[in-house]
Amino acid sequence: MKKISIFLFVCICAVGISSCSKTSDPASGNNGNTNPTPAGTMTISVDDAPFTLLNATAHTTSSSGLTTVTVAAADSTGKGCGFSLTNITGTGTYNVATEFSSGSIKSVVMVYSYKDASGNSVSFTSPSSGASVGTITITEISSTNLKATFNGTLTASSGSGTVKITNGSVNAIVM
């Protein structure tokens, strides 16, 4: 189930990143995005460097009796961040970890990615098992909107290294 959640999350991020494009009129005040009114926004600090991602959306899917909520945002440079929560019960604070109890699975995954100087995608993710590496607090969830705050320490998907996500905040439109 964890691999399906990560795959779904990566697919949504890829669509979000590829759908962003720069405008030919940077004076328009829309930060280079062709949609001057983004669907939602996400602000985060990565290793203490703050930035804002536009077009934050949330998607809900159900499979084998488990509901997964995936939230993602990206910009036109290939920078993206998001998280996926499986089998949550609504608003509340959730550990970024996979938990097994009484035959049920609760999985909370966080991912951050960017493109390096050569245009290669570099990804960081929460581990698939082990202790919690952060938290996601869902403060509002409805059929149209999701608001949350989040933080965590993510590990490079390939190679070595970590990034620290702090001050994460999202106001996403549910699609």
Side-chain angles (χ1 to χ4, degrees):
M1 187 64 179
K2 174 96 170 168
K3 290 184 181 190
I4 292 170
S5 295
I6 292 172
F7 175 74
L8 177 63
F9 175 74
V10 170
C11 289
I12 290 171
C13 283
V15 169
I17 290 169
S18 66
S19 66
C20 295
S21 63
K22 291 203 178 232
T23 181
S24 59
D25 181 16
S28 65
N30 63 11
N31 296 327
N33 193 297
T34 58
N35 181 3
T37 308
T41 57
M42 179 182 288
T43 58
I44 63 173
S45 292
V46 177
D47 292 334
D48 297 322
F51 59 90
T52 299
L53 299 170
L54 302 178
N55 300 314
T57 58
H59 299 270
T60 303
T61 58
S62 293
S63 175
S64 302
L66 297 176
T67 299
T68 300
V69 177
T70 303
V71 178
D75 70 10
S76 60
T77 69
K79 194 179 295 180
C81 185
F83 50 86
S84 177
L85 302 100
T86 300
N87 207 21
I88 64 168
T89 57
T91 59
T93 299
Y94 300 93
N95 290 324
V96 178
T98 299
E99 301 170 4
F100 300 94
S101 62
S102 302
S104 69
I105 301 170
K106 185 178 289 176
S107 177
V108 180
V109 178
M110 190 183 309
V111 175
Y112 167 72
S113 65
Y114 68 93
K115 290 194 177 185
D116 66 13
S118 300
N120 298 314
S121 182
V122 179
S123 298
F124 296 83
T125 186
S126 53
S128 59
S129 63
S132 173
V133 295
T135 60
I136 298 172
T137 301
I138 305 293
T139 56
E140 179 183 325
I141 187 167
S142 69
S143 62
T144 59
N145 198 52
L146 181 140
K147 291 182 181 179
T149 59
F150 57 96
N151 67 75
T153 301
L154 309 179
T155 304
S157 298
S158 60
S160 62
T162 62
V163 294
K164 187 174 181 179
I165 305 292
T166 56
N167 303 313
S169 175
V170 64
N171 183 358
I173 302 300
V174 175
M175 306 296 282

